[in-house]
Amino acid sequence: MATAVPAERDAVASGLPASGVVDVVAVGVGPAAAAAGTARVLATAAAAGTPYELVVSAGIGGGFPPHAPLGSLVVADAVTAADLGAETPDGFVPVTALGFGRVTHEPPAALVRELAAASGAATGTVLTVSTVTGSAGSAAALRARHPRALAEAMEGFGVAEAAAALGIPVAEVRAVSNAVGPRDRAAWRIADALAALTEAFGKFTPVLESWNRHD
Ligand SMILES: O=C(O)c1cccc(C(=O)CC[C@H]2O[C@@H](n3cnc4c(=O)[nH]cnc43)[C@H](O)[C@@H]2O)c1
């Protein structure tokens, strides 16, 4: 499990069995820190001859109203970088349209189904941004470009890029702490979202422990 901050790490770990096979690491806030931190952990394990079979980017996130209400859970069936590209007179263009790299990673479909079935989570696109959306106009523009987007956060695509570099599948799980849109920190429900993460990972345990990438 890769979270951004220790509070998310502790919330996820609280839902998992103490003597389990799942490691939880806080890798940092934002796509670059998340990619670097995840790559360090994965490469160290691989060099030691104990490679990871799966990486899950987990934490709180913003939900797109009304699709992902506060306290709800989202499991990504697509992990998409939303602001990796160029601003043009015709609007935003992703790097893929410029002939570079990738902007989406797809978690294993069977794993997404099992995680959602175990927790009642909604499934859809989770966007990764470097700048937290702060207006209704920006939120609407994101949804127009990504109509299946249910949530946004800041680490998933970075974690996914690190996992892909090591040939390891990735998943992303977000508990909704706030609505994507105008900045309103008084409306945040971080404690509720952290509690939802703990509850979710208690339900995920049998799925994570039994999931075999070759299924
Ligand atoms: O200061 C603000 O208005 C503000 C608004 C939303 C998020 C932040 C953060 O600093 C969050 C960073 C942290 O939490 C995740 N997160 C939670 N909600 C969102 C969101 O709406 N958009 C993007 N990221 C979000 C994120 O993954 C980071 O780890 C500040």
Side-chain angles (χ1 to χ4, degrees), residues 4-5 8 29-30 60-63 129 132-133 152-155 174 177-180 183-185 188:
V5 297
E8 294 167 317
V29 173
I60 65 174
V129 296
V132 174
T133 296
E152 81 167 29
M154 299 177 76
E155 293 80 28
R174 293 287 164 178
S177 54
N178 59 283
V180 175
R183 193 170 195 245
D184 177 7
R185 301 200 72 154
W188 280 45

Side-chain angles (χ1 to χ4, degrees), residues 5-215:
V5 297
E8 294 167 317
R9 176 200 62 203
D10 297 346
V12 168
S14 300
L16 296 169
S19 58
V21 297
V22 178
D23 297 327
V24 191
V25 182
V27 293
V29 173
T38 302
R40 176 182 57 81
V41 172
L42 297 182
T44 301
T50 55
Y52 286 98
E53 292 281 308
L54 171 69
V55 185
V56 180
S57 175
I60 65 174
F64 285 92
H67 311 283
L70 294 189
S72 68
L73 208 62
V74 176
V75 172
D77 59 16
V79 178
T80 298
D83 51 13
L84 183 58
E87 185 177 7
T88 77
D90 300 322
F92 175 82
V93 174
V95 285
T96 45
L98 306 172
F100 304 116
R102 63 193 297 180
V103 293
T104 290
H105 291 271
E106 292 188 1
L111 178 62
V112 172
R113 283 195 300 272
E114 289 180 40
L115 292 174
S119 61
T123 60
T125 299
V126 176
L127 301 178
T128 298
V129 296
S130 292
T131 302
V132 174
T133 296
S135 70
S138 298
L142 279 177
R143 276 283 300 184
R145 288 206 303 270
H146 304 280
R148 298 188 65 256
L150 297 182
E152 81 167 29
M154 299 177 76
E155 293 80 28
F157 188 76
V159 171
E161 285 283 78
L166 276 288
I168 299 170
V170 69
E172 183 169 8
V173 178
R174 293 287 164 178
V176 178
S177 54
N178 59 283
V180 175
R183 193 170 195 245
D184 177 7
R185 301 200 72 154
W188 280 45
R189 294 293 177 272
I190 293 179
D192 293 347
L194 292 174
L197 275 181
T198 300
E199 182 182 5
F201 276 88
K203 297 172 180 174
F204 289 161
T205 297
V207 176
L208 295 172
E209 290 185 340
S210 64
W211 186 78
N212 181 327
R213 65 187 296 176
H214 304 298
D215 281 353

